[in-house]
Amino acid sequence: MKVLYRHIIIILFGVFIPYFVFATHNRAGEITYKQTGPLSVEMTIITYTKASSVAADRDSLDVFWGDGSGEFVRRDNSKTRFDVNDIKVNYYIANHTYPGVATYTISFLDPNRVGGILNVNYPNSIDIPFFLSTTLTLLDRQFQGFNNSAILLQPPIDIGCVNKLFIHNPNAYDADGDSLAYELAAPLMALNTPVPGYKYPDEIGTTVSNSFTINPITGEVRWNAPKLQGEYNIAIKIKEYRNGTLINVILRDMQILIRACENEPPTIQTLEDICIIAGQKIDLTININDPNINQKVRFSATGGPFTIANPAKLTAPSFFTSVPFIAKLEWQTNCNHISDQYYQIVLRAVDNFYPDSTGLATLKTIRIKVVGPPPKNLNAKTENGAVRLEWESPYACEVTDNKFFQGFSVWRKIASSNFQPDTCNPGLSGSPYQKIVFKTLTQSNGKYFYIDNTTVRGETYCYRVQAEFAKLTATGNPFNKVESIPSNETCLILSRDVPLITKVSITKTGKIDGAIHLRWTKPLAEQFDTIQNPGPYLYKIFRADETTAFSEIANFSHLYFSASVDTNYFDKDINTVDHQFTYYIEMFSTNNTSSKSADASSIYLSIAPSDKKNILTWQSTTPWANKRYTIYKKDDQNNFLAIAQTNLTSYEDKNLINDVQSCYKIESEGTYSFDNIEDPIINFSQEVCQAPKDNVPSCAPTITVLNICDRLTNDVNPEELYNTINWVHPNQICPTIAEDIVAFNIYYAETINDALIKIASQSISDGLTYIHYPANGLLGCYAVTALDNLGNESELSAKICVDNCPYYVLPNTFTPNNDGSNDLFTPRVNLFIANIDLKVYNQWGNLVFETADPNINWDGTSLSGKELADGTYYYLCRIFEKRVTGVIESKNNLSGFIHLIKN
């Protein structure tokens, strides 16, 4: 029976060979799914096939579920449709229940792709199987929630023109709110098995002005620009993350049709990034045009906002229309649209260049983030030794579907800050504030409130509140949390029974005669208990710098608390050039009870000279928030004039003359953000002078490395084993900073992990080419730097690594007859081969010769030394190559026949 069974299999295989060889079928496709139960999914396979290939049409697919089981899934013919360019779209839908919570890979394999794909085993792509997979993770629904795959809204077949920018976007949308990332990959012919002979599209034809990239965030594919017309296939991995953990991967196989056409794509003009508060309406104007005369354009859009409740609306002609014309995108957002991920809309305009009413398309991606509104009117007041916070009720988004709104979190920091909420990056995570309450919904007297009883007297506390949103698991546990825009900031000091510093301002810059104006306020009379802390009172001033600890520098006393006290102090004869000074004030009563202010420092300015500019940076530590800085610069009359304002702590003064000195100082404007205290708080830094200088090196050259591997033939000359390093002069890349290049340094490393070392310097007069003979074949990595006439060296260019190109060619005949010609069987070409495993067999399958020497040198004798008879021998040869990563077995092992002829 076993023998009979094997014969049946062989016969069946013979029957199906023509079907596999001549059928041409799959163009593109993907697998997506919806989770329908704790362990159940509904899977959808969409394939795009060659409509005219009727013999290879599949009414069902053999699907493997990844848990050891599989089934034939029939096509849903009610969804089948036909598109132009000989395309048929097929849907296969099935349900499956898994045995448990785990990660699974759904896949299917079809024996046929379409023929003639230029970058897949060309010219025999028709023989290469078509394989799709999606890896999914079934989560613990009690704690982690459900998990649906992303859906891909842009079809995986697109058209481009030779030498024209090609743009595509799969436009993935994930309804769960998981984050998505995109990555190019090689198409597969089986699980984890790339198709043979695969090349990325920019490797077909010349690589000059030819790049193929994908934006990992938006998924936008750009090919600038195709060089050869024909059909190409690529694969895109759409990766889905939840809380930083990879949970799904869709492998989409897509096809690009490149045609030879003298045609420019249409143009789309509109905003590309929009951040909007839930409840606001997007009303966007989109301008569509085309540079080609008499061409019409059809406009469309896909994206997540069109697939959800209360969707976006596109108003535009649905047919080819004369240009220019205007389209409208409208979306009335609401609280259920809030997400920490951007919604994505892909706009597509295609012209009618070809008679079949298709042509060249252009795409533009719009990203929209809908954020939660801020809680309104937050204020703080003291209550029984604690801080009571109150804010407005009702909150604008407290009513949402599926309990999406969770409540409010309360955030606090000591002292105010210049933190500014960002609509595109809402929330306080990563801000100077610390979360002190994770969730509260407490209300009283028509307001939300929270009481903070963890404060310490004398400290300045500042608060913000933000709304928290999240999806819920079946048991009510939150996941994919979203933060709203935070509320306004409110600040107070729990008990103003301590001094508060309000000025640390440098009034004179000097190494020995510098001076700082220090000012503070007394404690508030109504909050300072003079009965428990009777006078007389003593104020002490303490000072420190970055090298010395705090020490007392002055003190003042007065008999009564209500007595008038001068709270200004001028700290003189100090080094304000080299040091930053920090102060605090401590007040003592008769019973030796003390109350201490917070520390406050002067502003310290530093300047780094650069080419035709000075880079200013400054720092200070204060209990108040510095909201704004003014940069002053001395003019020709020695007067300081304001030249700029910023809320940052750095500034670049540009367009200067090198080696000409300029002098600066910084003014800060700050606030404690509560009443009954000096506001604004104004302070100055020391004065600093600096001259810009040319210490900026050129940008790095761009390099290429060429060698014999780029033109392998069967008559390789060993003397040509060298690498030619060419580079582009930096003045073509960054002309403004590459005017004075005088030389180049060439760096080399033998392996990809070795550090680059300088192997040569070359004057600019010696050209932009260097020839290097590596010690070990051709392998190695190179980089080049540029040097200017002041000795500034650029950064290393992008490192280019070249590998050996192992090339091994065996003859099919030799004549071991001792006539001095062709007596030994040796390779015709032996390039970068470490060793081999050659076995030669006679016609009966007996081993007659073997060797590991890549030179072989077989003289036609057997393993026992006997001369072999004339005839045809069969060989198998495993080849082990010298590569930049070490010795590896070749993917191109050899087999064939040897004709041994002595007579």
Side-chain angles (χ1 to χ4, degrees):
M1 286 297 294
K2 289 184 178 179
V3 175
L4 176 61
Y5 180 77
R6 287 183 63 191
H7 280 289
I8 292 172
I9 294 295
I10 292 171
I11 291 170
L12 287 175
F13 183 75
V15 170
F16 279 100
I17 284 176
Y19 176 77
F20 289 153
V21 170
F22 298 111
T24 175
H25 193 49
N26 287 282
R27 297 181 181 275
E30 72 256 359
I31 302 173
T32 59
Y33 72 92
K34 294 186 294 185
Q35 188 170 354
T36 55
L39 299 175
S40 300
V41 299
E42 180 186 88
M43 173 217 67
T44 300
I45 298 176
I46 307 176
T47 64
Y48 295 74
T49 57
K50 189 170 183 177
S52 60
S53 183
V54 178
D57 192 40
R58 309 285 189 256
D59 64 353
S60 62
L61 299 178
D62 192 3
V63 175
F64 298 90
W65 293 104
D67 58 358
S69 67
E71 68 175 288
F72 280 96
V73 177
R74 295 192 63 81
R75 181 170 57 206
D76 184 347
N77 290 322
S78 68
K79 295 180 178 292
T80 300
R81 70 176 189 270
F82 292 87
D83 288 343
V84 296
N85 296 309
D86 198 17
I87 295 169
K88 182 179 182 180
V89 185
N90 311 273
Y91 289 78
Y92 305 83
I93 302 171
N95 291 277
H96 184 71
T97 299
Y98 285 96
V101 171
T103 298
Y104 302 95
T105 297
I106 304 173
S107 64
F108 95 94
L109 182 148
D110 189 285
N112 300 115
R113 292 177 177 269
V114 294
I117 302 173
L118 294 181
N119 63 331
V120 175
N121 197 44
Y122 184 77
N124 299 312
S125 62
I126 191 173
D127 299 330
I128 305 304
F130 179 79
F131 181 85
L132 295 177
S133 69
T134 287
T135 299
L136 65 97
T137 302
L138 293 178
L139 304 172
D140 184 336
R141 292 192 69 182
Q142 181 177 355
F143 298 103
Q144 298 170 294
F146 48 85
N147 176 21
N148 299 296
S149 77
I151 56 174
L152 310 183
L153 301 173
Q154 197 70 22
I157 298 181
D158 227 332
I159 299 174
C161 285
V162 173
N163 291 323
K164 305 297 181 184
L165 173 65
F166 170 84
I167 302 175
H168 175 82
N169 196 317
N171 199 10
Y173 169 66
D174 186 83
D176 299 341
D178 297 320
S179 60
L180 301 177
Y182 300 84
E183 178 183 306
L184 291 174
L188 300 183
M189 60 182 291
L191 187 63
N192 300 321
T193 306
V195 297
Y198 180 72
K199 295 182 179 181
Y200 284 101
D202 57 355
E203 297 176 304
I204 303 298
T206 177
T207 58
V208 178
S209 301
N210 194 356
S211 65
F212 193 88
T213 60
I214 190 169
N215 185 312
I217 297 173
T218 67
E220 185 170 272
V221 174
R222 283 181 169 254
W223 186 1
N224 193 14
K227 301 304 177 186
L228 292 178
Q229 64 175 322
E231 299 184 6
Y232 298 78
N233 269 70
I234 65 168
I236 301 174
K237 288 183 178 179
I238 297 92
K239 297 182 173 181
E240 182 178 332
Y241 293 86
R242 183 172 297 179
N243 299 326
T245 300
L246 181 65
I247 58 174
N248 289 343
V249 180
I250 298 173
L251 182 73
R252 165 180 262 196
D253 198 314
M254 79 162 287
Q255 187 167 70
I256 304 171
L257 309 176
I258 299 299
R259 297 173 171 178
C261 45
E262 291 298 323
N263 185 29
E264 297 294 332
T267 61
I268 303 173
Q269 292 184 336
T270 190
L271 294 177
E272 296 183 13
D273 288 282
I274 301 171
C275 298
I276 192 169
I277 296 174
Q280 295 179 341
K281 183 179 180 181
I282 294 173
D283 194 347
L284 192 63
T285 298
I286 305 165
N287 295 289
I288 298 96
N289 208 335
D290 193 289
N292 304 290
I293 298 174
N294 297 326
Q295 282 190 5
K296 295 183 178 181
V297 173
R298 185 173 62 200
F299 182 73
S300 60
T302 58
F306 299 111
T307 69
I308 58 179
N310 300 303
K313 177 185 177 183
L314 180 71
T315 303
S318 59
F319 45 84
F320 282 99
T321 303
S322 298
V323 292
F325 63 88
I326 291 175
K328 287 282 189 180
L329 176 66
E330 297 176 286
W331 189 19
Q332 178 59 62
T333 64
N334 63 40
C335 298
N336 296 307
H337 297 146
I338 294 169
S339 175
D340 67 342
Q341 301 299 313
Y342 279 86
Y343 293 91
Q344 190 163 282
I345 293 177
V346 174
L347 308 177
R348 187 173 191 268
V350 59
D351 62 31
N352 62 343
F353 177 77
Y354 289 106
D356 60 3
S357 296
T358 63
L360 192 57
T362 190
L363 277 71
K364 184 176 285 290
T365 301
I366 300 175
R367 301 171 73 226
I368 302 171
K369 179 175 276 191
V370 182
V371 301
K376 291 185 177 181
N377 299 322
L378 175 67
N379 64 77
K381 60 184 179 181
T382 59
E383 181 178 279
N384 300 323
V387 176
R388 182 184 178 93
L389 301 172
E390 293 181 338
W391 61 98
E392 193 173 286
S393 175
Y395 172 59
C397 279
E398 66 181 41
V399 178
T400 55
D401 294 344
N402 301 316
K403 299 181 180 179
F404 184 43
F405 170 67
Q406 296 291 293
F408 301 96
S409 58
V410 180
W411 300 67
R412 183 183 75 188
K413 73 177 298 292
I414 295 176
S416 181
S417 72
N418 60 359
F419 172 80
Q420 296 294 324
D422 181 356
T423 305
C424 289
N425 295 285
L428 294 166
S429 295
S431 75
Y433 297 85
Q434 299 296 316
K435 186 185 289 188
I436 60 172
V437 179
F438 284 81
K439 180 180 177 181
T440 181
L441 284 167
T442 309
Q443 294 192 57
S444 176
N445 299 320
K447 290 187 176 182
Y448 289 105
F449 78 95
Y450 173 74
I451 296 176
D452 181 11
N453 53 18
T454 63
T455 54
V456 177
R457 75 180 184 90
E459 290 282 12
T460 301
Y461 292 98
C462 294
Y463 297 87
R464 290 184 188 266
V465 173
Q466 70 182 22
E468 301 282 348
F469 301 86
K471 295 182 180 294
L472 298 178
T473 68
T475 55
N477 290 303
F479 69 96
N480 281 351
K481 298 178 181 179
V482 186
E483 299 176 338
S484 78
I485 298 175
S487 69
N488 60 291
E489 182 185 66
T490 183
C491 300
L492 59 68
I493 185 168
L494 187 62
S495 297
R496 287 275 302 277
D497 57 357
V498 296
L500 293 179
I501 295 176
T502 57
K503 184 176 284 294
V504 184
S505 186
I506 296 177
T507 56
K508 186 173 183 180
T509 300
K511 282 184 172 289
I512 59 175
D513 60 349
I516 289 179
H517 181 191
L518 179 69
R519 183 160 65 228
W520 71 95
T521 64
K522 294 165 51 179
L524 287 180
E526 61 269 24
Q527 296 188 23
F528 185 79
D529 191 338
T530 56
I531 296 176
Q532 290 194 7
N533 302 285
Y537 302 96
L538 177 66
Y539 288 94
K540 292 185 177 182
I541 301 174
F542 293 83
R543 182 187 72 203
D545 61 31
E546 63 274 9
T547 61
T548 60
F550 279 104
S551 61
E552 182 182 342
I553 60 170
N555 63 73
F556 309 90
S557 62
H558 58 94
L559 185 59
Y560 302 107
F561 183 81
S562 58
S564 177
V565 178
D566 184 1
T567 58
N568 291 280
Y569 176 75
F570 290 88
D571 192 11
K572 299 180 180 180
D573 300 327
I574 57 177
N575 182 357
T576 55
V577 173
D578 301 314
H579 295 293
Q580 180 180 31
F581 293 96
T582 303
Y583 300 84
Y584 71 82
I585 312 296
E586 192 164 11
M587 188 185 79
F588 297 85
S589 59
T590 297
N591 58 15
N592 212 31
T593 301
S594 68
S595 59
K596 174 184 172 296
S597 74
D599 298 348
S601 77
S602 59
I603 305 169
Y604 191 77
L605 171 63
S606 302
I607 303 179
S610 189
D611 187 25
K612 300 176 184 177
K613 66 181 178 181
N614 283 323
I615 303 172
L616 286 67
T617 58
W618 55 93
Q619 58 181 357
S620 62
T621 302
T622 63
W624 61 85
N626 287 314
K627 304 289 188 179
R628 183 168 56 189
Y629 300 95
T630 303
I631 297 91
Y632 287 86
K633 180 179 178 180
K634 270 187 179 179
D635 63 9
D636 295 338
Q637 283 73 45
N638 216 32
N639 297 315
F640 275 104
L641 301 177
I643 61 170
Q645 285 189 330
T646 179
N647 60 357
L648 305 176
T649 55
S650 62
Y651 175 76
E652 292 188 3
D653 189 19
K654 301 178 180 179
N655 301 318
L656 305 179
I657 300 173
N658 284 340
D659 303 317
V660 176
Q661 182 173 271
S662 296
C663 297
Y664 307 85
K665 66 179 179 180
I666 306 299
E667 178 192 56
S668 66
E669 181 179 325
T671 180
Y672 272 104
S673 296
F674 51 76
D675 297 332
N676 302 318
I677 197 166
E678 181 178 341
D679 197 330
I681 298 170
I682 304 296
N683 291 287
F684 283 92
S685 73
Q686 86 279 24
E687 299 174 14
V688 181
C689 299
Q690 185 60 263
K693 60 182 181 180
D694 184 2
N695 56 6
V696 178
S698 162
C699 59
T702 56
I703 73 170
T704 58
V705 181
L706 301 175
N707 54 41
I708 199 172
C709 297
D710 298 302
R711 48 182 180 82
L712 281 177
T713 64
N714 287 348
D715 54 350
V716 173
N717 184 352
E719 295 182 0
E720 294 187 66
L721 297 186
Y722 57 82
N723 292 318
T724 302
I725 303 97
N726 300 301
W727 57 90
V728 175
H729 195 294
N731 63 13
Q732 297 185 38
I733 306 167
C734 53
T736 58
I737 59 172
E739 302 169 339
D740 47 6
I741 302 300
V742 295
F744 300 94
N745 286 337
I746 297 92
Y747 291 80
Y748 170 75
E750 184 169 303
T751 74
I752 199 168
N753 296 318
D754 291 341
L756 290 163
I757 59 172
K758 186 170 76 172
I759 58 171
S761 291
Q762 183 165 295
S763 169
I764 193 169
S765 62
D766 293 328
L768 306 176
T769 296
Y770 179 79
I771 294 177
H772 181 232
Y773 290 83
N776 190 14
L778 295 174
L779 58 84
C781 299
Y782 296 89
V784 176
T785 61
L787 286 85
D788 65 21
N789 56 4
L790 295 177
N792 298 313
E793 184 175 13
S794 74
E795 293 184 352
L796 291 165
S797 66
K799 183 168 66 173
I800 301 295
C801 295
V802 292
D803 207 344
N804 286 330
C805 48
Y807 195 34
Y808 199 60
V809 180
L810 296 179
N812 59 11
T813 303
F814 77 119
T815 58
N817 54 11
N818 296 316
D819 65 354
S821 175
N822 203 26
D823 288 329
L824 297 177
F825 183 78
T826 59
R828 293 175 60 187
V829 181
N830 177 8
L831 200 60
F832 310 124
I833 304 301
N835 52 74
I836 63 172
D837 179 12
L838 173 71
K839 298 184 187 299
V840 181
Y841 301 88
N842 63 19
Q843 59 183 325
W844 295 283
N846 298 320
L847 180 68
V848 296
F849 177 76
E850 64 179 341
T851 185
D853 181 6
N855 293 314
I856 304 177
N857 291 323
W858 180 33
D859 60 2
T861 60
S862 69
L863 292 172
S864 61
K866 294 181 179 180
E867 289 189 3
L868 294 171
D870 288 14
T872 301
Y873 295 81
Y874 179 73
Y875 72 87
L876 295 172
C877 184
R878 297 173 64 197
I879 302 168
F880 298 88
E881 304 169 341
K882 297 175 184 177
R883 290 287 191 176
V884 71
T885 54
V887 175
I888 62 171
E889 184 170 358
S890 173
K891 296 180 180 179
N892 300 302
N893 290 327
L894 300 177
S895 62
F897 296 94
I898 303 171
H899 301 286
L900 189 157
I901 303 171
K902 287 187 289 187
N903 299 308

